Amino acid sequence: MATSVEVKTVGNWISGRVEASTSGRHGIVWDPATGAEQARVAFSNRTEVDLTVAVAKRAFAEWRSVPLSRRAEVMFKLRELIDANRRTIAGMITAEHGKTVPDAMGEVARGLENIEFACGIPNLLKGGFSEQASRGIDVYQIRQPLGVVAGITPFNFPAMVPMWMFANAIACGNAFILKPSEKDPSVSLYLAELIQKAGLPDGVFNVIQGDKEAVDRLLDHPDVKAISFVGSTPVAKAIYETGTRNGKRVQALGGAKNHMLLLPDADVAMAADAAVSAAYGSAGERCMAISVAVAVGDVADPLVAAIRERMAKIKVGPGTDDSNEMGPLITREHRDKVASYVANAATEGATVAVDGRGAIRRDGFFLEPSLLDNVAMGMRCYKDEIFGPVLCVMRVKTYEEALRIINENPFGNGVAIFTRDGGAAR
Ligand code: NAD
């Protein structure tokens, strides 16, 4: 006889407690390592967003006048609590995102740096004063909180990116609403508990789970004064346009295509180590992942050989097993999309040096690392952000040609150069 197992639904955090959504809509939270449904996540509606904003607005009225030293005290306490619970937070990240536990521990460490920064808020919020800015006129500059502000965050850093946003927003005296990624939402509620334990008054930090409907309401709600977004470029653009049209301050960080540039004098072993860890760490689902290696002159052949040698040793498997170095991708759809770039590469004229699609047959959303050689600018695998364990190699004749390619790419975020020539590096 089949037995039904109750699946938990990840709810909201409003005014200091978990609130179940009544919207009737939800998303599925997968276990990427097994491919099984492990939870559901509420998709909040406009009314629930309105209620959360009202709660945050009331809490803001008090919180903005709490002394800086007291706000800093909350941040110091939160720092201790996160530090003491690194393993728990990392475990929650691994369970829903799939990255390995050491990688998740790294995420927590990076997130913690933002809480530490916010501990210095009494100093950071100092204003300025200019005497005689005009004849007989002195000018004061003071920093004040805006009110209710919201953060909309991506799946790939479910703890760190929220920490980028809420630590400073709260320390500055704002009330904050987090709309986490619906793919790995649970850690947001655990962070909310720690924030409460740190002594933050209820209502100053809230979590609203959801999809486009909740985001759209945050974007047009008159009491939300600023939006911080991190995610893919098309969504970043839409959020920036709508938010600013509605008179809000918006910062929207989008997708990436990071290049590494190798000059003929590069230390190939060192560059290959860096390429393998930056391209395949966290299954390539990092905004700072290296996805293109641009090799100048003769360095390409030894580089490809050294990368292939290292790739063969990468152990792919569930992130919960400490012997694994790379976990699964976030969803089946995303894994299949990433695999399609490898499948199409040869038709576009690239060489599939290593094909990682063998792991597709396993349970879970796994894909082994892939290496595409002889990639050119017009190819889809070069033009799109793949956001998976696929590294493209481009072969060029000169440094100038490499620079032109990198500068013409419409994506950020970063570029690395490998050379023994200090002048070229500078
Ligand atoms: P995403 O754009 O799909 O989702 C980000 C957030 O927006 C989520 O909370 C999601 O629920 C919400 N969202 C999705 N579609 C929406 C829509 N149509 N309208 C309103 N809200 C919507 O991004 P993702 O897949 O979760 O994250 C991966 C992306 O984030 C990659 O492109 C990566 O490069 C980028 N990223 C960038 C940085 C950076 O610093 N630039 C950092 C981390 C991740």
Side-chain angles (χ1 to χ4, degrees):
M1 195 177 74
T3 51
S4 69
V5 179
E6 197 172 330
V7 177
K8 73 162 183 174
T9 300
V10 183
N12 297 322
W13 179 272
I14 305 170
S15 202
R17 59 180 177 272
V18 177
E19 296 277 359
S21 164
T22 54
S23 73
R25 291 198 312 122
H26 68 263
I28 293 174
V29 182
W30 300 102
D31 175 350
T34 62
E37 176 177 339
Q38 60 172 319
R40 291 180 178 183
V41 57
F43 280 175
S44 307
N45 59 26
R46 291 175 67 89
T47 313
E48 287 163 329
V49 175
D50 288 355
L51 175 91
T52 314
V53 174
V55 161
K57 193 179 175 188
R58 274 197 302 278
F60 168 67
E62 289 287 318
W63 178 243
R64 69 168 305 165
S65 51
V66 168
L68 288 177
S69 57
R70 170 75 193 117
R71 288 190 229 154
E73 204 182 316
V74 172
M75 288 298 140
F76 274 108
K77 185 72 191 152
L78 181 59
R79 194 222 164 265
E80 275 174 40
L81 287 166
I82 293 177
D83 182 42
N85 292 286
R86 285 174 194 246
R87 273 255 150 208
T88 308
I89 299 170
M92 295 179 92
I93 296 170
T94 297
E96 293 185 353
H97 176 284
K99 66 177 77 171
T100 62
V101 172
D103 204 2
M105 291 288 279
E107 167 171 358
V108 179
R110 289 274 178 237
L112 203 51
E113 287 170 5
N114 297 275
I115 315 286
E116 286 163 355
F117 183 82
C119 290
I121 208 70
N123 207 36
L124 296 166
L125 278 187
K126 279 189 195 305
F129 180 76
S130 303
E131 191 183 4
Q132 297 292 2
S134 188
R135 188 177 300 278
I137 306 281
D138 301 339
V139 178
Y140 295 83
Q141 179 204 52
I142 54 172
R143 299 180 196 274
Q144 296 183 308
L146 293 172
V148 179
V149 298
I152 300 153
T153 54
F155 80 82
N156 65 323
F157 286 107
M160 180 189 79
V161 174
M163 285 193 253
W164 283 358
M165 298 178 183
F166 71 68
N168 288 307
I170 289 171
C172 287
N174 300 288
F176 190 86
I177 300 175
L178 172 64
K179 206 305 281 170
S181 168
E182 69 283 12
K183 298 188 177 97
D184 41 17
S186 296
V187 72
S188 64
L189 296 186
Y190 185 64
L191 289 174
E193 274 177 42
L194 296 183
I195 293 169
Q196 187 179 51
K197 280 192 192 143
L200 190 76
D202 290 344
V204 178
F205 177 82
N206 306 277
V207 180
I208 188 98
Q209 309 287 358
D211 61 352
K212 188 173 186 306
E213 181 174 341
V215 172
D216 284 347
R217 182 54 185 148
L218 287 169
L219 289 173
D220 66 22
H221 197 300
D223 288 334
V224 175
K225 300 299 176 197
I227 299 275
S228 189
F229 172 86
V230 177
S232 60
T233 296
V235 183
K237 278 187 177 158
I239 283 182
Y240 189 82
E241 281 164 17
T242 313
T244 51
R245 198 183 320 118
N246 291 338
K248 302 185 194 313
R249 297 174 192 211
V250 182
Q251 57 179 359
L253 281 68
K257 193 90 182 168
N258 306 304
H259 293 60
M260 68 186 277
L261 166 56
L262 279 101
L263 299 190
D265 66 350
D267 177 335
V268 171
M270 183 192 184
D273 283 343
V276 166
S277 109
Y280 305 121
S282 201
E285 292 173 330
R286 286 187 189 138
C287 58
M288 286 307 291
I290 286 289
S291 49
V292 186
V294 187
V296 178
D298 298 340
V299 78
D301 282 338
L303 175 74
V304 168
I307 292 177
R308 286 180 74 136
E309 190 192 315
R310 286 159 177 76
M311 284 173 75
K313 295 181 193 143
I314 299 175
K315 206 169 157 238
V316 181
T320 43
D321 177 341
D322 279 354
S323 69
N324 291 326
E325 291 156 302
M326 195 184 107
L329 280 90
I330 186 74
T331 58
R332 179 172 284 109
E333 293 70 31
H334 184 56
R335 190 268 315 273
D336 292 348
K337 183 170 173 228
V338 173
S340 75
Y341 288 98
V342 182
N344 294 331
T347 353
E348 288 193 296
T351 311
V352 182
V354 180
D355 186 337
R357 288 174 299 150
I360 283 181
R361 288 181 296 276
R362 265 201 248 166
D363 287 343
F365 311 141
F366 291 98
L367 189 65
E368 303 253 346
S370 295
L371 183 64
L372 307 179
D373 196 358
N374 296 306
V375 168
M377 281 174 93
M379 297 178 187
R380 260 188 66 220
C381 59
Y382 180 72
K383 288 197 290 190
D384 296 356
E385 180 189 35
I386 299 178
F387 218 56
V390 181
L391 176 63
C392 298
V393 176
M394 298 175 92
R395 294 168 178 249
V396 298
K397 289 199 175 63
T398 62
Y399 174 60
E400 288 69 28
E401 193 184 346
L403 275 191
R404 182 183 60 80
I405 289 172
I406 292 167
N407 286 331
E408 283 182 14
N409 191 287
F411 285 104
N413 289 332
V415 181
I417 183 166
F418 288 80
T419 174
R420 289 186 170 93
D421 182 334
R426 181 164 182 265

